[in-house]
Amino acid sequence: MTWTRAVARCVRAVSIALALPSLSMAPRATVSSLYVPRSMKQAYSRGTRSPDGRPGPRYWQNRARYTITLTASPPNRKVTGTEQIVYVNASPDTLRRLAMRVIVNIHKAGAYRATNAGPDYITSGVHIDAFTVNGQPATWNAENGYTVQGVTLPAPLMPHDSVRLGVDWHYDVSKESNREGMLDSTTFFLAYAYPRVSVYDDVNGWDLTPFDDRLEFYSDFNDYDVTVKVPANFVVWGTGTLRNAGEVLQPEILKRFQASLTSAQTIRVATIEDMRAKRVTAQQPVNAWHFTSTNVPDVTFAVSDHYVWDAGSVIVADGRPPVSVQAAYNDTASDYRHMVRFASHALDWLSHEWPGVPYPYEKTTVVEGPAGMEYPMMANDESYPDTVFSRFVAEHEIAHTYFPFWMGIDETRYPFMDEGMTTSTEYLLGVADLGKAKADSFFRAFRVANWIGDPAAAADEPIITPNSTGDNGYGKPALGYLALKALLGDAVYRKALHEYMELWHGKHPQPWDYFATFNRVTGENLDWFWRSWFFEPNYIDIAITGVAGSGSGTQVTLANVGGMPAPVDLIVQYDDGTSETLHQTPAIWRTDLRHASVSIPARRRVQSVQLEHGIWMDADPTNDRWPSQRPGV
Ligand SMILES: [Zn+2]
């Protein structure tokens, strides 16, 4: 997401595990003790999903094939489009109406939106010029004309049948751009540029959530064949493979572009001098840039007559061609000169470390723009004076490739399933890039401090709450996923995460599919953890309630005041001047969510104990020390 616009924006570690009672009951692979919505229970009983977290034997998913032509001629703001959609109804339901998404209507006066809109953001929206169903003229009888529109079909679309839709449209790109629009007078970022069929799924039926510029997207997996027509001297970057580089590029530029596809070094495909001298693109009135992509949730394009173009490549898996890594930017954006290297590093790290799944697409392109926004194979990221921050933003947006894109997440309803997961990956990448101390302090300041410092009820709204973003989308769930990783250990966490990704990529997982998959793979009923982190109005506050010595050692008793089971370190000072850190995972709360005790062997006398929370910042530091230093206590 527009993540920069998101809400307001070692010592020796000794783990003393409590003697755990061995789990006498057989591990349950369901999430039956959690709140499960009726819609999910219906999916279980219909067999489209399984309570053990797997897609059910009757799982289905609709898909489409889009053939699109977009025409733009900046500085004229008008974009025209024509498309053929073949939409396949794999559901067992007869569809009499289709919900169509016309997202650019967010710019229309009167559109429902979560943010203010200045005069330069407002346009007249998308105008549907022609509509056909199976080749016959039909009425685009949308009743509200905004971002989600119901269209009645002349004849019902039967189960396992398909329908062919033809749409012609035009719109003006907005002068003020956010996720899409005009980047400057001759650079357009064309996202959401085509009308598409909304998701119809087995749990919630039609997704009718309006696009409000806050909640993001939910998309089916489609195949795209897109031609973008622009005047000579405009370059087009976009989702998918460029099919006709030889037709749209001049020979020298083509040579550089082709070299970049296997080059580990950044190649300046088109410099500002090349662009100014008009020696980049084929010199004919209009060039038609042809891109194809398969099984992706969306396509996005950028066009410019002066952005410069860098490219290189990176190997993400043995036996696969290198992934093309490209950057398009104003020549003045000095941080962007490193962008191909930053993005290549992100692809390499994500593929081999966390999530440790080879980057699933053939390319990625980072385009300079104001959004801090991810798209399949594309990002629209601001230029920053600090290259550490530029890299950080690029890494976050590229990490979104997995969640939501590859995983098909309904991020409109459950932002924590994509932003939260991506924010946890962002932290792990930060540790790799900057070292733990720097990454911790940045994460605390940027992702945690605002939330934990806010005592209002809204701050503690359960993460699972539908359509809840801000801290519930980013910092809180990221801390939850990282606490889970600490609880399970890296190997088990990775195994469960990979099983979830393997089962659900290219599909539409719901939160309960994720929870149940982890329960099944770990062989452990983690409902206590899910409930405390995701389902209850909790926060992080761990207190020392007592320290008692005996012959056999010292017992430190802890209370989980806030309710979230987070990792914590006990910094123990002994009276001989030594100290040690006793690292505790959330396992200490497994049997009793409110009380835990940590044993310190009776080797030395304990002088003081201090809690250290790392990134899991604590709401009340005054109860973190023994002996207490609170005045009057
Ligand atoms: Zn994000």
Side-chain angles (χ1 to χ4, degrees):
M1 116 140 219
T2 340
W3 80 285
T4 48
R5 292 175 193 231
V7 162
R9 334 197 286 259
C10 157
V11 284
R12 186 167 63 97
V14 179
S15 181
I16 300 187
L18 288 179
L20 286 174
S22 59
L23 297 171
S24 51
M25 57 187 174
R28 285 185 305 169
T30 68
V31 286
S32 55
S33 78
L34 298 176
Y35 162 71
V36 177
R38 285 168 285 164
S39 54
M40 275 300 289
K41 288 178 181 165
Q42 285 168 359
Y44 294 151
S45 62
R46 289 180 191 135
T48 59
R49 302 194 181 229
S50 162
D52 69 2
R54 293 184 171 97
R58 294 202 174 84
Y59 182 80
W60 55 264
Q61 194 170 299
N62 292 354
R63 63 179 292 122
R65 199 166 66 239
Y66 286 80
T67 307
I68 303 173
T69 301
L70 290 171
T71 304
S73 188
N76 187 332
R77 288 165 46 215
K78 186 175 176 182
V79 173
T80 59
T82 177
E83 68 184 352
Q84 289 287 321
I85 308 172
V86 177
Y87 180 70
V88 182
N89 178 18
S91 84
D93 307 324
T94 299
L95 304 177
R96 295 172 196 285
R97 282 155 59 88
L98 301 177
M100 301 296 294
R101 287 198 168 265
V102 190
I103 298 169
V104 173
N105 273 337
I106 186 76
H107 292 280
K108 231 172 132 171
Y112 172 80
R113 60 175 87 79
T115 53
N116 295 327
D120 284 349
Y121 188 79
I122 299 295
T123 70
S124 62
V126 176
H127 303 268
I128 304 295
D129 301 318
F131 178 50
T132 60
V133 177
N134 291 329
Q136 299 301 310
T139 313
W140 186 280
N141 57 342
E143 55 273 14
N144 67 27
Y146 292 105
T147 58
V148 189
Q149 310 188 358
V151 171
T152 303
L153 293 171
L157 174 58
M158 303 307 284
H160 312 296
D161 203 352
S162 65
V163 64
R164 205 155 38 83
L165 309 171
V167 190
D168 295 350
W169 71 97
H170 71 274
Y171 69 94
D172 284 348
V173 292
S174 58
K175 289 184 204 157
E176 182 193 330
S177 95
N178 181 8
R179 298 169 196 265
E180 41 68 50
M182 215 169 90
L183 303 184
D184 60 46
S185 62
T186 54
T187 307
F188 293 175
F189 197 83
L190 303 175
Y192 324 128
Y194 60 97
R196 80 272 315 263
V197 184
S198 191
V199 174
Y200 183 78
D201 75 20
D202 63 309
V203 176
N204 292 303
W206 282 114
D207 177 23
L208 301 175
T209 320
F211 175 60
D212 67 358
D213 228 358
R214 179 183 65 105
L215 297 168
E216 296 187 331
F217 305 96
Y218 186 29
S219 307
D220 275 325
F221 290 85
N222 304 310
D223 296 339
Y224 290 89
D225 183 307
V226 184
T227 301
V228 183
K229 291 184 176 172
V230 288
N233 303 313
F234 279 81
V235 175
V236 181
W237 298 269
T239 305
T241 300
L242 176 61
R243 289 289 168 193
N244 62 340
E247 289 171 23
V248 294
L249 297 176
Q250 293 188 31
E252 168 60 22
I253 303 297
L254 177 66
K255 226 166 68 188
R256 292 183 211 163
F257 173 67
Q258 283 172 337
S260 80
L261 299 176
T262 52
S263 167
Q265 304 301 318
T266 303
I267 291 178
R268 312 276 176 214
V269 175
T271 65
I272 191 67
E273 292 76 23
D274 295 325
M275 294 296 283
R276 282 183 186 140
K278 305 188 188 317
R279 53 181 183 238
V280 176
T281 64
Q283 295 300 298
Q284 49 194 354
V286 171
N287 285 320
W289 295 65
H290 182 206
F291 295 86
T292 60
S293 49
T294 55
N295 220 25
V296 292
D298 200 358
V299 289
T300 296
F301 302 89
V303 308
S304 179
D305 66 350
H306 62 277
Y307 267 28
V308 300
W309 183 7
D310 292 350
S313 71
V314 62
I315 292 171
V316 298
D318 294 341
R320 254 182 65 184
V323 171
S324 170
V325 182
Q326 306 184 30
Y329 56 98
N330 273 301
D331 195 49
T332 49
S334 55
D335 58 329
Y336 259 80
R337 296 194 174 282
H338 310 283
M339 194 53 83
V340 167
R341 189 163 51 82
F342 293 162
S344 299
H345 163 67
L347 296 188
D348 179 39
W349 192 91
L350 294 162
S351 299
H352 297 105
E353 302 295 332
W354 295 101
V357 171
Y359 179 78
Y361 302 133
E362 65 265 35
K363 80 191 265 199
T364 193
T365 304
V366 185
V367 178
E368 186 196 348
M373 181 63 204
E374 70 280 8
Y375 303 91
M377 304 185 222
M378 288 278 276
N380 172 335
D381 286 354
E382 213 164 337
S383 165
Y384 299 95
D386 175 3
T387 52
V388 172
F389 204 72
S390 309
R391 179 178 63 181
F392 171 81
V393 175
E395 287 172 348
H396 177 100
E397 307 310 345
I398 292 171
H400 271 302
T401 298
Y402 299 92
F403 306 91
F405 300 133
W406 198 56
M407 296 297 293
I409 282 162
D410 179 354
E411 53 173 327
T412 301
R413 281 190 183 79
Y414 300 113
F416 77 91
M417 292 182 77
D418 91 296
E419 292 295 356
M421 196 62 88
T422 298
T423 301
S424 73
T425 308
E426 160 204 303
Y427 167 73
L428 297 170
L429 239 168
V431 173
D433 287 350
L434 306 170
K436 188 169 182 306
K438 258 196 173 151
D440 277 16
S441 96
F442 183 75
F443 196 80
R444 287 160 59 104
F446 196 71
R447 296 299 197 192
V448 190
N450 269 325
W451 162 58
I452 204 68
D454 181 355
D460 299 334
E461 182 178 68
I463 292 169
I464 196 77
T465 310
N467 316 118
S468 181
T469 183
D471 292 320
N472 270 353
Y474 291 79
K476 284 168 68 179
L479 290 170
Y481 296 129
L482 293 165
L484 178 67
K485 179 170 169 286
L487 170 71
L488 300 176
D490 281 4
V492 174
Y493 179 80
R494 186 186 299 272
K495 187 173 169 216
L497 181 66
H498 282 191
E499 167 90 359
Y500 164 61
M501 294 178 76
E502 186 53 37
L503 284 174
W504 286 99
H505 76 82
K507 299 192 174 70
H508 292 315
Q510 290 277 319
W512 295 267
D513 301 316
Y514 168 81
F515 299 137
T517 299
F518 268 70
N519 281 6
R520 178 168 48 76
V521 175
T522 60
E524 183 182 337
N525 186 344
L526 295 165
D527 287 0
W528 63 276
F529 184 89
W530 308 128
R531 186 178 298 106
S532 309
W533 267 99
F534 294 92
F535 287 81
E536 290 179 348
N538 290 337
Y539 57 98
I540 303 171
D541 180 14
I542 297 173
I544 299 179
T545 50
V547 175
S550 70
S552 62
T554 304
Q555 290 290 322
V556 181
T557 52
L558 302 174
N560 189 354
V561 179
M564 278 177 169
V568 66
D569 285 351
L570 278 61
I571 315 290
V572 183
Q573 289 282 346
Y574 298 102
D575 63 358
D576 64 1
T578 61
S579 73
E580 74 184 322
T581 298
L582 308 180
H583 178 65
Q584 308 301 313
T585 79
I588 57 172
W589 308 107
R590 190 187 260 128
T591 47
D592 181 343
L593 273 159
R594 290 292 164 184
H595 308 96
S597 75
V598 177
S599 303
I600 304 171
R603 294 194 306 272
R604 289 159 286 180
R605 213 181 0 202
V606 174
Q607 196 173 57
S608 71
V609 182
Q610 171 76 46
L611 300 184
E612 268 291 331
H613 304 279
I615 55 172
W616 291 275
M617 289 175 75
D618 192 271
D620 181 8
T622 67
N623 56 25
D624 282 7
R625 191 178 166 79
W626 177 89
S628 169
Q629 291 179 326
R630 274 176 292 181
V633 176

